[in-house]
Amino acid sequence: MFDKDQYLKEIKESHDYLLEKGFKNIDIAIILGSGLNEIAEDFEQLIVANYSDIPNFAKTTVEGHKGRMILCKYNRLNVLFMQGRFHYYEGYPMYRIVFPIRVLSLLGVRNLIVTNAAGGINPNFNVGDIMIITDHIALFIPENPLRGPNLDDFGTRFPNMQKAYDYQWIMRVKSKLTDIRNIKEGVYCMVPGPNYETPAEVKMLRIIGADAVGMSTVPEVIVAKHCNIKVIGFSIITNIYRDFVESSVTHKEVLENTKKSLDIMKKIIQASVEVVYG
Ligand code: HPA
């Protein structure tokens, strides 16, 4: 059973641990999805905290997710990377999946970049495209992360999701990335997973307006908006549904195709960080 007072105490404990380690004055936080851990290795690293050492953090169980928080320097900015996230399909309740976002909010984070791997549904997409997430569909997630007693200190009972992904931020990033040809935009739909989609499911997702499908990100974004944190998001299109069918998608293929986009994602993340304080 969810115990609000206990949960708030746990958030504070994790916050205190990270603050004590020096995680403060964070200008921007970045969640690295499957296969993107390496991006953090290219930044000047100041402090590392393993999720397994942070009180009350869940453990990452997925291959391709490291489970560390790293505070880095980039252009005099303090940039915090989360190498790995928690997923609903791992068996965690939603409030555990979004726990790090609330800890980050308490640490004063006001800007968040989310990344993920996703299956392409839009017929104009190709493997290797990067989709700037303009909106999401959360209606298929089995439980809203804000269900239950509202955490009034973090946000309002009925938060607005009209501008979940910051339009100004998107426009400014796009103006910096004009040399990258395979940048697309679209709607991300989260499904609970862990199986990939059937052709009938893909067809339905296309009809309702999804451009890409994945198993993460949306709970974190909902909670970030609840905490009034600004969000920008990117999906790497790792596999494609043509005529609603994808013959071969495997986690291995998703990770391999994510790795091929590491350089471009690094550029996109740098541009996204630069424009926040530019
Ligand atoms: N479906 C769901 N999640 C995914 C996919 C997909 O096709 N590709 C990468 N993550």
Side-chain angles (χ1 to χ4, degrees):
M1 239 331 248
F2 179 75
D3 178 338
K4 178 176 167 180
D5 291 337
Q6 173 64 22
Y7 185 69
L8 290 171
K9 204 173 117 233
E10 290 176 7
I11 293 171
K12 178 80 173 47
E13 276 170 7
S14 308
H15 160 272
D16 291 353
Y17 173 87
L18 288 166
L19 195 62
E20 168 86 1
K21 279 201 78 139
F23 285 83
K24 56 184 165 202
N25 304 322
I26 303 160
D27 296 299
I28 188 158
I30 300 156
I31 302 179
L32 297 174
S34 304
L36 290 174
N37 287 325
E38 276 174 45
I39 289 180
E41 315 291 339
D42 290 337
F43 288 75
E44 183 196 343
Q45 301 192 3
L46 306 178
I47 316 168
V48 178
N50 294 317
Y51 293 171
S52 54
D53 295 330
I54 307 173
N56 314 312
F57 260 54
K59 314 266 169 291
T60 51
T61 67
V62 193
E63 194 199 332
H65 285 260
K66 262 198 174 145
R68 300 194 303 181
M69 269 195 187
I70 310 180
L71 190 66
C72 299
K73 263 282 181 249
Y74 180 67
N75 287 353
R76 296 199 313 277
L77 296 176
N78 287 327
V79 178
L80 181 145
F81 285 96
M82 282 184 61
Q83 285 181 319
R85 55 154 60 89
F86 309 115
H87 303 83
Y88 187 78
Y89 62 74
E90 292 176 87
Y92 296 118
M94 281 292 183
Y95 62 83
R96 209 36 81 195
I97 292 164
V98 297
F99 184 85
I101 305 296
R102 289 175 166 143
V103 174
L104 293 182
S105 172
L106 209 56
L107 284 167
V109 170
R110 304 269 46 99
N111 301 290
L112 177 69
I113 303 175
V114 290
T115 64
N116 59 44
I121 297 176
N122 184 317
N124 298 319
F125 285 6
N126 294 297
V127 170
D129 284 350
I130 309 292
M131 183 184 86
I132 303 177
I133 306 174
T134 52
D135 204 346
H136 71 219
I137 297 172
L139 301 175
F140 303 119
I141 61 178
E143 186 190 315
N144 190 295
L146 301 177
R147 178 170 178 261
N150 186 48
L151 306 185
D152 297 323
D153 292 345
F154 287 86
T156 175
R157 171 77 289 188
F158 300 108
N160 191 302
M161 288 290 147
Q162 285 295 307
K163 291 183 182 149
Y165 301 84
D166 193 85
Y167 186 68
Q168 301 289 342
W169 199 355
I170 292 175
M171 293 308 284
R172 293 170 78 184
V173 170
K174 272 172 60 178
S175 71
K176 278 217 158 216
L177 298 174
T178 46
D179 57 325
I180 304 180
R181 278 178 299 109
N182 57 338
I183 292 202
K184 306 279 167 70
E185 289 179 35
V187 174
Y188 176 89
C189 181
M190 177 181 162
V191 291
N195 60 279
Y196 294 108
E197 292 64 43
T198 67
E201 286 165 350
V202 176
K203 188 172 186 184
M204 181 199 70
L205 293 174
R206 185 68 200 138
I207 290 168
I208 62 166
D211 296 293
V213 58
M215 305 175 197
S216 69
T217 305
V218 167
E220 292 133 320
V221 172
I222 291 174
V223 168
K225 286 313 289 177
H226 183 247
C227 301
N228 205 18
I229 294 174
K230 241 198 248 182
V231 176
I232 194 166
F234 303 97
S235 295
I236 299 176
I237 304 302
T238 55
N239 53 288
I240 283 286
Y241 295 88
R242 293 269 178 248
D243 295 325
F244 316 119
V245 175
E246 214 294 4
S247 53
S248 68
V249 59
T250 60
H251 186 55
K252 186 162 169 277
E253 180 198 0
V254 167
L255 286 180
E256 279 168 10
N257 285 337
T258 304
K259 292 229 179 306
K260 291 183 195 152
S261 297
L262 271 171
D263 286 345
I264 190 170
M265 273 311 293
K266 194 176 139 196
K267 275 194 199 144
I268 290 171
I269 286 174
Q270 284 173 333
S272 305
V273 172
E274 282 162 19
V275 299
V276 166
Y277 292 92

